Amino acid sequence: MEPTRTSSTPRAPLAGAPSDEELIARVCWREEPALGAIYDRYHRLIFTIALRIVGDRDLAEEVVQDVFQAVWLSAGSFQPNGSLSAWLVGITRHRAIDATRSRRFRARAREDMLDDDRLVGVAAADASADGLLLRAVVRAALAELPASQRQAIELGYYGGLTHAEIATRLGEPVGTIKSRMRMGLMKLRELLKAEE
């Protein structure tokens, strides 16, 4: 699904083609071809907006997929008298900002991990047990997570993979991977707080 570099404006419905309102109503009824028609009509616009916000083609494509997954899951929240394109732009903006924040968080986590590795090396060289103890506590907390959450976190934070790469490797939807990571990190935070 490589977006082309043509105009980013949505295509007007062809004569006799269903209106936006009719298509979104069909999505509410779980008609997949209606979602496909909305995708055909708006994916270039959504990709262009996502790309402007995230600045990375691969991440923008991931945002497009997230947007259409959100449309499928929450089509019922669309206001019938509203503009479908404005609703889609709003979803795109929020998803793209979330993706940018997530990328920054991963970059900071990798930097922190590198700093932690240096600190652990210095601590080991100085025979300091604090660094080794912290590492052991984190490993123990990770071991308490459900396997699916632990695997997603390890691939993301230790393997440096994106949500899309993890989803591809595990054969799962990107949304599932994001949920597993979010739930796993929340549980990990609780476990580490209990150790303090």
Side-chain angles (χ1 to χ4, degrees), residues 49-175:
I49 292 167
L51 183 60
R52 285 181 188 157
I53 294 171
V54 302
D56 176 79
R57 290 186 69 80
D58 291 336
L59 190 55
E61 288 172 7
E62 189 176 317
V63 169
V64 171
Q65 296 305 314
D66 285 350
V67 167
F68 282 98
Q69 183 178 17
V71 169
W72 181 254
L73 295 174
S74 61
S77 68
F78 175 72
Q79 298 298 320
N81 295 329
S83 162
L84 180 60
S85 62
W87 186 62
L88 292 171
V89 166
I91 294 171
T92 303
R93 184 176 167 278
H94 290 291
R95 296 295 169 125
I97 290 169
D98 288 347
T100 301
R101 287 179 182 151
S102 176
R103 184 176 11 160
R104 286 187 199 135
F105 176 77
R106 282 194 308 268
R108 271 191 244 120
R110 284 188 199 117
E111 289 172 9
D112 291 345
M113 195 169 54
L114 289 174
D115 290 343
D116 288 347
D117 287 346
R118 278 188 236 125
L119 288 174
V120 169
V122 169
D126 293 340
S128 171
D130 289 344
L132 296 173
L133 180 62
L134 176 61
R135 187 179 242 173
V137 168
V138 170
R139 281 187 184 149
L142 274 170
E144 289 189 42
L145 294 178
S148 60
Q149 292 175 0
R150 182 177 61 249
Q151 185 179 34
I153 289 171
E154 287 174 347
L155 288 171
Y157 292 96
Y158 297 119
L161 301 179
T162 65
H163 290 123
E165 291 167 336
I166 296 168
T168 299
R169 182 173 286 185
L170 299 179
E172 299 279 353
V174 174

